Amino acid sequence: MTATRTPGLPVVEDGFLISTSPATGVEAGRVPVSDDKAVDAAVERARVAAAWWAGLGFDGRKTRLLRWRALLVQRIEELGELTHAETGKPATDAIIEAIAAIEHVDWAARNAKRVLGPRRVKTRLLVAEHAGHLEYQPYGVIGVIGPWNYPILTPLGPISGALAAGNAVVLKPSEYTPAVGQWLVDTFAEVVPEQPVLQAVHGLGDVGAALCRSGVGKIAFTGSTATAKRVMATCAETLTPVILEAGGKDALIVDADADVAAAAEAAVWGAMTNAGQTCIGIERAYAVTQVYDAFVAAVVEKAGRLRLGEEIGPITMPGQVDIIRRHIDDALAAGATAVLGGADAVQPPNVAPTVLVDVPDDSAAIREETFGPTLTITRVADADEAIAKANSLPYGLGGAVFGKANGVRIARRMRAGMVAVNSTLSFVGNANLPFGGMGDSGFGRIHGDDGLREFGRAKSISVRRAPSLLPSMTFERTPAQVQRIVKAVKLLYGRRP
Ligand code: NDP
């Protein structure tokens, strides 16, 4: 574990995938690479495990998931260190990430029965003598494909929902963070040793593609928009359903009555945490003219205090540095001003906090996902202009608003799956709230009731309990009976409200 390699670049050697620290190049993790046959074999094993796991019922699974939750909590520092080693993010940030993930494990375990369990539903006129039964049955095996930026939280959202719903899971972690993925699988096996209910397969993108083709019941993908399209195309070959959690370019709107200091503090956190490598990171701010100057000054002051190597780690994926540099350089060439950082901020593998103003609306820094500790701030006349600009991109993941009188009204009008009011990113911490986007940010939901329902197929059962009073669905109905049905419908539905 001492060899020094190109910082951050994973390598495949002798059948092993080796991840490296983006800060030092020291080996961080080593896992066996899975070929297509190994992926198929894992899915086959998972099918058997899924039948056993589903047979435990909601209560049996809840007990085991809560035992896993306890183990994750007991070993949280170890998980924080491993995540630090593979991603470069501060270990304390990794621990907060783990806590958010553990919330979802706990919530899914406790709520699966309520959301997915069998229940009676009311019947309707044409089948008045039938009882309606609804339940959500597991798909069998769910394939989870995860990114590197939040290697604990992003896979554990779909994994906890899928497991609580009664599925087995095969996880393909990012090639940058395989050891974190394997660690999650190994700890689960400690509390559920009987069957391989949660497994990992490792390698590069082709392993993810093999998982898409393996006949799993559903794929829950988190990653970039470009890869999401490839995943959907591959899954289309077998009509395998998908959840796609893709990229974003989230906006923060600062309204005239906002608490400017609080808005600046949250903007800096939302934009710079995890060195800006956050799908729901704030990348654009729109401040109305009354508060614009004060907001820019407060953001610059707060972001300027962040220390590289302390609050902000290196850029995890070496290639991302070029994208961040291009966005900054293009914006400056197009007339933007760096009020903090700028071209010199990019010193691989680090990027210092950068705040850009007067950035043209058609710049890459406004339109494309930057994934670095950068923020553009744009002056707008009012909240309407801010909303129009915020909503002008194909992405629609998250967003934020600071304002007193109209915060929630503005949030409703933002083209985004999730919006935080008077904070940034907070929706991810509430396990009751579904998480997901629209447009180029993908579709489907994880977390919350909607997230759980993604991992069960609705199963409808209609049970006849008595002879039909108004037989409609039979060749044996008589004209008089049809007349009675029509009369009943006229009585019930014929009057205009
Ligand atoms: P990528 O899209 O590059 O990769 C995501 C995962 O897909 C990785 O495990 C990757 O494997 C795998 N993969 C690559 N090619 C294929 C393929 N053809 N078929 C199946 N799987 C494949 O994303 P990143 O890992 O770079 O993550 C960053 C992106 O994720 C950002 O755009 C970010 O916004 C987004 N994201 C979205 C979130 C959300 O909830 N909406 C949350 C977090 C991140 P490998 O690593 O081996 O290439």
Side-chain angles (χ1 to χ4, degrees):
M1 296 289 281
T2 48
T4 301
R5 304 167 191 275
T6 307
L9 265 195
V11 287
V12 174
E13 272 177 22
D14 302 329
F16 285 89
L17 173 63
I18 299 163
S19 59
T20 61
S21 157
T24 62
V26 167
E27 182 176 325
R30 178 180 283 251
V31 293
V33 171
S34 317
D35 59 13
D36 286 11
K37 265 196 189 150
V39 172
D40 288 344
V43 172
E44 228 18 80
R45 284 193 298 277
R47 265 188 242 291
V48 177
W52 172 80
W53 180 245
L56 293 179
F58 288 104
D59 295 335
R61 293 195 295 271
K62 176 179 169 184
T63 307
R64 286 166 172 81
L65 284 167
L66 294 182
R67 278 186 203 142
W68 188 34
R69 179 211 62 190
L71 186 63
L72 294 173
V73 172
Q74 285 156 18
R75 292 175 56 185
I76 200 163
E77 286 85 5
E78 185 189 324
L79 179 57
E81 284 305 328
L82 181 60
T83 308
H84 164 69
E86 280 200 319
T87 65
K89 71 171 73 181
T92 45
D93 281 3
I95 287 173
I96 299 293
E97 178 190 342
I99 293 169
I102 287 162
E103 281 279 8
H104 294 293
V105 175
D106 182 75
W107 187 91
R110 292 180 188 283
N111 287 276
K113 192 174 183 176
R114 172 183 63 79
V115 177
L116 306 174
R119 87 265 339 244
R120 287 277 290 270
V121 294
K122 284 190 179 151
T123 193
R124 303 287 290 182
L125 175 77
L126 274 185
V127 287
E129 68 288 353
H130 295 241
H133 296 259
L134 170 63
E135 65 189 75
Y136 293 81
Q137 297 184 339
Y139 282 82
V141 184
I142 302 289
V144 173
I145 301 176
W148 47 266
N149 60 336
Y150 287 87
I152 312 167
L153 178 59
T154 51
L156 273 186
I159 286 172
S160 52
L163 291 177
N167 303 281
V169 172
V170 178
L171 165 68
K172 153 66 179 84
S174 164
E175 69 199 62
Y176 291 87
T177 54
V180 173
Q182 191 60 48
W183 190 96
L184 296 172
V185 167
D186 292 344
T187 50
F188 187 80
E190 282 185 37
V191 294
V192 182
E194 297 96 329
Q195 291 277 345
V197 174
L198 175 61
Q199 301 172 76
V201 290
H202 296 287
L204 311 185
D206 59 307
V207 177
L211 187 57
C212 294
R213 293 201 175 92
S214 66
V216 294
K218 194 169 200 172
I219 287 283
F221 168 85
T222 308
S224 63
T225 304
T227 309
K229 290 178 184 174
R230 282 197 284 275
V231 164
M232 192 166 168
T234 308
C235 286
E237 292 167 15
T238 46
L239 281 189
T240 301
V242 288
I243 304 169
L244 301 177
E245 298 289 352
K249 187 77 185 171
D250 292 3
L252 160 69
I253 294 175
V254 189
D255 204 5
D257 60 353
D259 176 337
V260 173
E265 187 267 320
V268 171
W269 164 256
M272 316 283 172
T273 184
N274 204 29
Q277 305 164 110
T278 304
C279 55
I280 49 170
I282 299 296
E283 298 210 355
R284 305 172 286 154
Y286 296 99
V288 302
T289 197
Q290 295 96 314
V291 295
Y292 175 84
D293 290 332
F295 177 69
V296 172
V299 166
V300 168
E301 190 269 318
K302 288 175 195 299
R305 278 196 266 130
L306 298 177
R307 291 154 303 170
L308 286 177
E310 301 282 332
E311 290 96 348
I312 298 195
I315 300 304
T316 305
M317 204 168 60
Q320 193 67 28
V321 174
D322 297 331
I323 296 172
I324 301 167
R325 185 189 286 117
R326 174 169 63 80
H327 287 193
I328 295 173
D329 289 351
D330 285 0
L332 295 176
T337 302
V339 287
L340 182 71
D344 295 343
V346 183
Q347 308 278 350
N350 296 303
V351 178
T354 291
V355 179
L356 300 167
V357 297
D358 300 327
V359 185
D361 284 344
D362 60 356
S363 308
I366 294 276
R367 300 195 61 81
E368 297 171 21
E369 192 177 48
T370 306
F371 239 50
T374 64
L375 178 67
T376 66
I377 308 181
T378 302
R379 184 196 294 272
V380 287
D382 52 27
D384 284 345
E385 188 187 355
I387 293 166
K389 284 187 186 289
N391 290 354
S392 67
L393 300 186
Y395 287 120
L397 191 55
V401 187
F402 269 79
K404 296 190 181 80
N406 294 315
V408 173
R409 267 192 286 274
I410 294 169
R412 290 211 169 92
R413 291 173 61 198
M414 288 180 78
R415 185 178 176 279
M418 306 147 295
V419 182
V421 177
N422 295 327
S423 68
T424 50
L425 322 187
S426 52
F427 40 77
V428 75
N430 184 347
N432 284 297
L433 285 174
F435 185 101
M438 57 202 286
D440 276 7
S441 297
F443 54 79
R445 293 292 180 266
I446 54 173
H447 307 172
D449 290 9
D450 298 84
L452 272 176
R453 279 194 204 101
E454 294 274 6
F455 298 109
R457 286 192 187 95
K459 178 72 168 258
S460 302
I461 301 174
S462 179
V463 180
R464 186 173 177 174
R465 293 179 306 168
S468 299
L469 294 173
L470 299 172
S472 58
M473 296 188 180
T474 167
F475 288 119
E476 296 182 9
R477 69 189 176 212
T478 63
Q481 285 168 331
V482 172
Q483 277 309 311
R484 282 208 293 276
I485 293 169
V486 172
K487 211 170 156 186
V489 167
K490 284 188 173 172
L491 261 174
L492 278 170
Y493 304 146
R495 266 170 300 174
R496 290 168 71 157

